[in-house]
Structures are given as structure tokens and as C-alpha cells.
Amino acid sequence: QAQLAQSGGGLVQAGGSLRLSCAGFGRTESGYDTAWFRQAPGKRREFVAAVDFRAATYYSDSVKGRFTVYRDNIRNIVYLQMSNLRLEDTADYYCAARWYSSASYREVADYEAWGQGTQVSVSS
């Protein structure tokens, strides 16, 4: 597995913004897909957003229009920009990566490497 390192997160008031980052993708020349998942207390880990090796992006309906996923192709850092945060966005956020193509971007089992997780807490 690649060694993924996350940063960002923290406590923010509802309506505010945070940016998460993910790095450590190792071999990048052949391309890679990166996804963000989140897990709230008592909930299953759910798909949030993904950017594939072609830079196409995918979003869950719950974050579409509020979150943006993008990649710095020089530094190989993937970001999740979160805006207009809501209380229900509170969760541990994880980045994940894979170095192969798949029809599915939303399944935990389809990813090969994971970050350590970053806590995002949204308060009223």
C-alpha cells in the first residue's frame, strides 16, 4: 500500500469552510484515483467525493455544490475543499487511493491505500 498522509480538519462553525489534504501517493506516473470517505459516530463509512486519474470528479448528493475535490499534479497532493459546512458533515474524513481502473468510485473495498483520518467537527 501507498503511505497516505492527511492534514487539515478541525472545528468550524456551521457555514464555514475547511480544506483537507492528502499526500504520499508514491508511484504516480501511471495515474491514480483518490476518494474521500467519511464516518460519523454510529454510521457506516460513506463516500464523499473522488477525483480519478483523468481529473474527472464525482460527488455524493449530500455534498454536491458545497465540496470540491481537486489535485495538484505537480506536488501530487489531493485536496477536499469543504464550504458551507453543516452539522451533519461532522465526521472523521479519510482519503483513499487506488492505482487501477474500476467502474465504481464509491466502494471502500475498491481502494488500496488509506490515510489515517482527520476529524471535522461542525458546530452551531
Side-chain angles (χ1 to χ4, degrees):
Q1 293 183 331
Q3 299 176 2
L4 305 185
Q6 297 182 222
S7 63
L11 177 64
V12 66
Q13 191 175 26
S17 299
L18 286 172
R19 188 178 72 170
L20 309 182
S21 64
C22 184
F25 295 101
R27 177 182 58 83
T28 61
E29 293 82 3
S30 297
Y32 57 98
D33 299 342
T34 301
W36 292 89
F37 294 81
R38 67 186 182 187
Q39 187 168 15
K43 303 292 185 180
R44 300 287 295 172
R45 189 169 297 186
E46 66 171 347
F47 173 80
V48 176
V51 54
D52 71 12
F53 76 105
R54 295 184 175 93
T57 56
Y58 308 85
Y59 298 94
S60 69
D61 290 339
S62 63
V63 307
K64 192 176 299 181
R66 300 188 298 118
F67 291 9
T68 302
V69 60
Y70 61 98
R71 180 171 61 239
D72 180 333
N73 290 316
I74 302 301
R75 298 181 177 182
N76 284 300
I77 302 173
V78 176
Y79 299 94
L80 182 67
Q81 176 66 51
M82 305 181 292
S83 299
N84 193 23
L85 284 161
R86 304 168 180 170
L87 294 177
E88 54 264 40
D89 295 319
T90 295
D92 291 329
Y93 284 71
Y94 299 86
C95 64
R98 66 189 183 197
W99 290 262
Y100 69 96
S101 297
S102 174
S104 176
Y105 293 92
R106 298 174 176 265
E107 298 297 326
V108 168
D110 288 339
Y111 291 87
E112 300 176 89
W114 291 82
Q116 78 278 13
T118 301
Q119 184 177 358
V120 172
S121 298
V122 184
S123 67
S124 61

